[in-house]
């Protein structure tokens, strides 16, 4: 039984002050909410303060990225060990914005995923096709490549514990979400592949969440798909009311 998982990826939004105010409000709203995991991924500058505000609550905290070396001359980078020490429990890895704007390859995604696990973080590994790839009917091929390479050298037990985020690039920040049927089809494909590659137990345990223009009015249909285990929410996670509405509508009782 996979508990729904809803994470807000704030990207490069919110100052420390704004982030803490948000989390203080959110922790009160989710205080009595059970049967769902709620996670916030603030920018690095706010990570520690958010983790402090979320301590001993049912709000989890994620880094938006990590570097794979523990420490060293890597100006501007933050290691998985440092993110963990600052209070993160999860790390987003391989977001399409990092792949597209910062040149992250599947091999880099793999190194970051392994480093996150080694540091005791749960990776949220993002995969997804571009519009061009979808139109060329290459969606499954792209997902297979990104997952196989991104999760290379992980044990079945490690795959079981991580979170895969299917984020079609054409749906991110465009207001054009994948339909529930499109998401359901991609998630079912991912689950099938996981079953082949790491076995039924790990495939059944691994969370596969959807990201791309998730809003309060489309989340219900998305999480009603059997293989959609939650969402990675961008824009709609910046407002506490809309994020909370997505959380509420993702709970099993609400579906
Ligand atoms: P939007 O919800 O703004 O489309 O962003 C999705 C996303 O990239 C989450 O990681």
């Amino acid at each position: 039984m996979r508990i729904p998982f809803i994470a807000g990826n704030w990207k490069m939004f919110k100052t420390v002050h704004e982030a803490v105010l948000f989390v203080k409000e959110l922790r009160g709203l989710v205080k009595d909410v059970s049967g769902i995991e709620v996670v916030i991924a603030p920018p690095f500058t706010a990570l520690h303060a958010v983790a402090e505000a979320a301590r001993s609550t049912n709000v989890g905290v994620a880094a938006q990225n990590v570097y794979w070396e523990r420490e060293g001359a890597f100006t501007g980078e933050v290691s998985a060990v440092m993110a963990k020490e600052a209070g993160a429990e999860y790390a987003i890895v391989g977001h399409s914005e990092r792949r597209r704007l910062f040149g992250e390859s599947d091999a880099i995604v793999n190194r970051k995923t392994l480093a996150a696990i080694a540091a005791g973080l749960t990776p949220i590994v993002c995969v997804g096709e571009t519009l061009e790839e979808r139109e060329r009917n290459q969606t499954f091929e792209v997902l297979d490549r990104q997952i196989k390479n991104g999760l290379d050298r992980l044990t079945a037990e490690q795959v079981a514990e991580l979170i895969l985020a299917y984020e079609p690039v054409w749906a991110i920040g465009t207001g054009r979400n994948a339909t529930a049927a499109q998401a359901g089809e991609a998630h079912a494909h991912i689950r099938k592949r996981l079953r082949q590659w790491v076995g039924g137990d790990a495939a059944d345990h691994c969370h596969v969440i959807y990201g791309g223009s998730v809003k309060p009015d489309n989340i219900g249909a998305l999480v009603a798909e059997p293989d959609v285990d939650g969402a990675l929410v961008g824009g709609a996670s910046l407002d506490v009311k809309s994020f909370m509405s997505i959380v509420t509508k993702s709970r099993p009782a609400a579906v």
Side-chain angles (χ1 to χ4, degrees):
M1 172 66 185
R2 297 180 299 267
I3 291 176
F5 184 97
I6 301 293
N9 174 12
W10 283 351
K11 309 191 180 185
M12 203 174 74
F13 289 96
K14 293 196 190 291
T15 61
V16 178
H17 180 70
E18 291 163 344
V20 169
L21 277 183
F22 183 110
V23 172
K24 285 186 173 168
E25 192 175 351
L26 179 67
R27 72 186 183 193
L29 294 170
V30 297
K31 183 163 53 78
D32 300 317
V33 177
S34 58
I36 185 161
E37 251 171 288
V38 179
V39 171
I40 291 294
F44 276 124
T45 44
L47 187 61
H48 186 255
V50 162
E52 287 299 307
R55 191 201 288 265
S56 305
T57 72
N58 46 2
V59 177
V61 180
Q64 294 180 15
N65 178 37
V66 287
Y67 194 65
W68 59 84
E69 298 285 354
R70 280 184 75 87
E71 59 183 14
F74 303 103
T75 302
E77 293 297 314
V78 173
S79 74
V81 174
M82 290 168 175
K84 169 80 178 172
E85 197 247 356
E89 304 152 81
Y90 303 85
I92 299 174
V93 176
H95 191 279
S96 68
E97 286 150 17
R98 299 229 42 105
R99 292 177 188 260
R100 184 168 51 89
L101 302 170
F102 302 99
E104 289 193 8
S105 62
D106 290 338
I108 288 177
V109 172
N110 182 239
R111 293 177 90 159
K112 292 187 171 191
T113 302
L114 289 164
I117 293 171
L121 296 167
T122 299
I124 303 172
V125 181
C126 303
V127 296
E129 82 287 2
T130 62
L131 184 58
E132 212 180 28
E133 288 161 344
R134 174 162 280 265
E135 285 172 346
R136 284 201 224 117
N137 282 323
Q138 293 171 339
T139 298
F140 292 168
E141 195 182 308
V142 170
L143 295 178
D144 289 355
R145 191 193 66 229
Q146 292 177 338
I147 295 170
K148 194 144 190 74
N149 296 337
L151 304 188
D152 190 29
R153 294 175 288 159
L154 268 70
T155 65
E157 290 72 24
Q158 289 171 332
V159 174
E161 296 303 327
L162 59 72
I163 292 150
L164 270 174
Y166 169 59
E167 297 207 308
V169 179
W170 48 271
I172 296 176
T174 58
R176 178 182 167 191
N177 65 291
T179 62
Q182 285 170 325
E185 185 189 35
H187 285 233
H189 174 82
I190 292 170
R191 188 92 55 203
K192 184 179 85 181
R193 282 288 186 258
L194 290 176
R195 208 173 288 283
Q196 290 168 347
W197 291 336
V198 291
D201 286 351
D204 285 340
H205 199 278
C206 177
H207 278 75
V208 186
I209 64 174
Y210 168 80
S213 298
V214 171
K215 303 278 182 285
D217 63 3
N218 58 30
I219 185 67
L222 288 161
V223 293
E225 290 292 323
D227 284 304
V228 177
D229 305 320
L232 188 52
V233 186
S237 73
L238 294 170
D239 175 78
V240 76
K241 284 193 184 58
S242 93
F243 186 60
M244 199 51 210
S245 168
I246 290 169
V247 168
T248 307
K249 290 177 178 174
S250 306
R251 293 176 63 210
V255 178

